[in-house]
Amino acid sequence: MPVLNEADYLENAVISALEQDVDGPTELILALGPSSDGTNEIARKIADRDARVQLVNNPEADIPKGLNAAIRASMYPTIVRVDAHSELAPGYTKRAVETLARTGAANVGGIMHAEGRKPFQRAVARAYNSPLGLGGGAYHSGGPEGEAESAYLGVMRREAIERVGLFDESIRRGEDWELNLRLRQAGYTVWFDPQLSVTYWPRESWTRLARQFFATGTWRAELVRRFGRRNSIRFFAPPALLLLLFVAAIVGALQLTGVLSGVISLIASLVYLPLALYAVLIIGMALTTKGGGSTLADKLWTMAVVPTMHVSWGAGFLAGTIRGAGETVDTSRLDGRNTPLP
């Protein structure tokens, strides 16, 4: 479990992991980044009262480096990745281990079920859980059990991930997708089991959400630069939306100034149609009560959150396409420090 500034979530995340019912011994390795909110003090207290919990340092707060350090410090043949802002459902690990044995897969993952405590976070959770929000990946919106491109978090065979070289420490976002790509290229199977569920607590503010999605989009572009067509076409939807907005803005300016008029202006106005449909879909999603949008605040935040996610991700993707990810990091769990985050 990579950990950084998770004082509000760490205790519950740890409890959900330690209370898993599995056949055999377990341990929990926390890779501690340089937290500034008392998280590491909480982690040390947890380790003092439960011998199953071990602490390793992750001074750069880099996700793949923290994961690799935790894996190397562990001793058992099955690796369960856990995030400090997530909670495993009861029976998650036992079911995942059984699925590993039943399918022969190297990595098994399930559904990320986002939850929120306040209106903004609930709106973000609705977007995460909706095909409109994050593009309909199986681990967001569900689907039939079977072979998968990647796995959320993941319950992995140690020998398989060690054989392909653990997580690539040069990739700061999307490291799980890239590891699963190498597993599949090595002849292993990655498996999706919809019976597995993890509660995920998303970002709590608009600026943090935008920063998170910009960094994620930038790194997805880096993965496209490295691996090309192995990336799903859904990753290209947000940058396409941003380019469409840019074109629509130019067309609107030309129409307002009279540069475009008559039939040519009418034809150019077709650029507004997909944007109008996009707006209708978002408003429709916001107005429904599906996914917890019961209050006015929930509905209004949903209308703000979904475009924020798409535009931020798309802007990051275009930036990453032009210049690569470089040293881009996600600072959404810190205030003002340019440090990589879980």
Side-chain angles (χ1 to χ4, degrees), residues 49-63:
R49 67 174 184 254
D50 196 316
R52 292 174 294 173
V53 179
Q54 299 181 45
L55 310 178
V56 297
N57 289 323
N58 183 24
E60 297 181 58
D62 210 331
I63 299 173

Side-chain angles (χ1 to χ4, degrees), residues 7-53:
D8 291 338
Y9 300 99
L10 181 61
E11 188 85 37
N12 287 339
V14 168
I15 289 172
S16 78
L18 294 178
E19 289 186 347
Q20 293 294 303
D21 178 22
V22 297
D23 297 326
T26 62
E27 61 185 347
L28 177 61
I29 317 296
L30 307 183
L32 301 182
S35 293
S36 58
D37 67 347
T39 291
N40 290 359
E41 289 72 18
I42 295 172
R44 283 189 281 270
K45 290 178 181 178
I46 292 171
D48 287 342
R49 67 174 184 254
D50 196 316
R52 292 174 294 173
V53 179

Side-chain angles (χ1 to χ4, degrees), residues 201-216:
W201 299 97
R203 302 302 189 262
E204 306 93 337
S205 75
W206 186 87
T207 55
R208 292 183 180 226
L209 180 72
R211 284 152 57 191
Q212 177 197 14
F213 271 74
F214 182 87
T216 303

